[in-house]
Amino acid sequence: MLEEIRKYAKDNRVQIINDEGLEFLTKQINKYNSKDILELGSAIGYSAIMMCQIDDDIKVVTIEKDEERYLEAVKNINGMKLNDKIEIHLMDALDYQTDKKFDLIFL
């Protein structure tokens, strides 16, 4: 499924995190033991999916304002059976309000 997501991103010119960026992000998550992550800009859900695979206790709240990308992200998150670990919102990140505290904010 991950290869299909990467292929979709390439074929549709959707920017997703590259391997070097993912390696850096993984190191930071592990270094700081981040468990609750806020992602601003879901795109098609790839980075949120990858973050959840680092540790079973990681939860991601991710926000996407583009409806087409949001729908693709929902499909990918459900396809990976991660809808219990990834909470996705269709909205502009500037409108997101919460009292929740996050260990990491990823743009």
Side-chain angles (χ1 to χ4, degrees), residues 59-73:
K59 303 274 186 183
V60 177
V61 174
T62 185
I63 301 167
E64 178 58 51
K65 69 178 180 179
D66 181 280
E67 186 172 7
E68 184 178 339
R69 289 183 181 186
Y70 165 83
L71 293 172
E72 188 66 25

Side-chain angles (χ1 to χ4, degrees), residues 25-37:
L25 181 60
T26 299
K27 285 180 183 176
Q28 297 307 304
I29 289 171
N30 287 328
K31 179 179 179 178
Y32 295 103
N33 197 30
S34 301
K35 301 297 182 197
D36 293 303
I37 300 170

Side-chain angles (χ1 to χ4, degrees), residues 43-55:
I44 57 174
Y46 181 73
S47 53
I49 290 166
M50 297 306 290
M51 287 187 278
C52 284
Q53 293 190 352
I54 295 169
D55 186 296

Side-chain angles (χ1 to χ4, degrees), residues 47-95:
S47 53
I49 290 166
M50 297 306 290
M51 287 187 278
C52 284
Q53 293 190 352
I54 295 169
D55 186 296
D56 287 339
D57 294 329
I58 290 176
K59 303 274 186 183
V60 177
V61 174
T62 185
I63 301 167
E64 178 58 51
K65 69 178 180 179
D66 181 280
E67 186 172 7
E68 184 178 339
R69 289 183 181 186
Y70 165 83
L71 293 172
E72 188 66 25
V74 169
K75 182 184 94 174
N76 293 332
I77 291 164
N78 289 337
M80 295 294 293
K81 298 183 180 8
L82 290 171
N83 50 326
D84 61 329
K85 295 181 62 153
I86 301 173
E87 176 186 322
I88 185 167
H89 298 275
L90 175 60
M91 65 188 314
D92 189 309
L94 294 173
D95 296 327

